[in-house]
Each structure stands twice: as structure tokens, then as C-alpha cells.
Amino acid sequence: MCGDCVEKEYPNRLRRLPTLVYSHLFKGNTCLENGSFLLNFTGCAVCSKRDFMLITNKSLKEEDGEEIVTYDHLCKNCHHVVARHEYTFSIMDEFQEYTMLCLLCGKAEDTISILPDDPRQMALLF
């Protein structure tokens, strides 16, 4: 993968929210199952063009109840491989867990309750 094509390698994709009481509970991470984080793309190191990315070699597989999506980000003009993207999804107990690792899109993890009321938030109210 090409570190010369990106502004920052593996940027942290923490979503920033306004400061609220217990705001740390409501922060999540941006985990992309598809697409490209074009704000981090400085331009192709091979052809020097900054354009949209192609997504190729996309695959979806399941291992032990975990979905794994992988694909390559390619320069639209010269097909230079900029980055390899990996996204995972699983269900653990009462939570959906997401992860993303990509030189271009960044690294992130997120956990979301599958229940109507998140038990992690309810515990702080009492």
C-alpha cells in the first residue's frame, strides 16, 4: 500500500460530538463498509492526479459468526493500489461490533447496543 498517496496513514476516525454530560458515552467511530475517505487522499504518487478512487477485489466472507469485507482502493487513472480496506462486523452478546482498518480510510472500532435502551447508558442514570 502507498503511504505517499495519503495525508495521514491510518487516521483515527473518532467522531466528535458537542460536549454534553456523559458525552463520552455518545461518541462513536466512523467504520466504513464501503467507499473511500477522499479527504485523506492527497493524490496518486504514480500519476500525480487527484480523482475518485476505484474499488476492486471486493470480497465478503464469514468466519465464526464474523463478517469480513475487504477491498482495494485504486487510482482511477493509472490503477495504482493506494490501500487495502478491511471492515468487520459481529454480534457479541447484546452488542453489534464494527472495526475498520485501512491506510486511506483509517482505523476505528464501534460498539452499538441491539437493545432499544443501551444498558451501558442506563447504569449511569442510577
Side-chain angles (χ1 to χ4, degrees):
M1 304 318 101
C2 186
D4 294 332
C5 296
V6 297
E7 184 174 322
K8 183 175 182 181
E9 294 183 15
Y10 300 101
N12 188 353
R13 295 300 302 275
L14 181 64
R15 214 174 28 199
R16 307 260 184 240
L17 296 176
T19 303
L20 301 169
V21 176
Y22 304 116
S23 65
H24 63 283
L25 294 176
F26 303 102
K27 289 182 182 174
N29 286 315
T30 304
C31 295
L32 303 175
E33 180 179 354
N34 56 37
S36 304
F37 183 40
L38 293 177
L39 291 175
N40 193 38
F41 181 54
T42 57
C44 180
V46 174
C47 70
S48 302
K49 295 191 177 177
R50 187 170 189 262
D51 206 341
F52 291 105
M53 308 292 292
L54 295 176
I55 293 176
T56 62
N57 300 324
K58 189 168 186 175
S59 72
L60 169 65
K61 62 181 176 179
E62 273 195 51
E63 283 182 9
D64 301 324
E66 180 177 69
E67 291 180 10
I68 303 169
V69 176
T70 58
Y71 57 87
D72 294 331
H73 295 283
L74 268 65
C75 171
K76 177 183 167 187
N77 299 293
C78 70
H79 297 173
H80 168 68
V81 178
V82 174
R84 178 112 175 119
H85 190 101
E86 182 176 292
Y87 166 88
T88 64
F89 167 79
S90 62
I91 296 178
M92 297 293 283
D93 300 323
E94 299 169 344
F95 297 95
Q96 295 176 338
E97 296 187 349
Y98 305 87
T99 64
M100 175 184 72
L101 184 63
C102 177
L103 179 84
L104 174 68
C105 298
K107 56 185 174 186
E109 295 179 349
D110 204 0
T111 302
I112 300 171
S113 174
I114 61 174
L115 300 174
D117 296 316
D118 190 336
R120 297 171 297 182
Q121 295 176 11
M122 298 303 288
L124 290 174
L125 297 176
F126 297 105

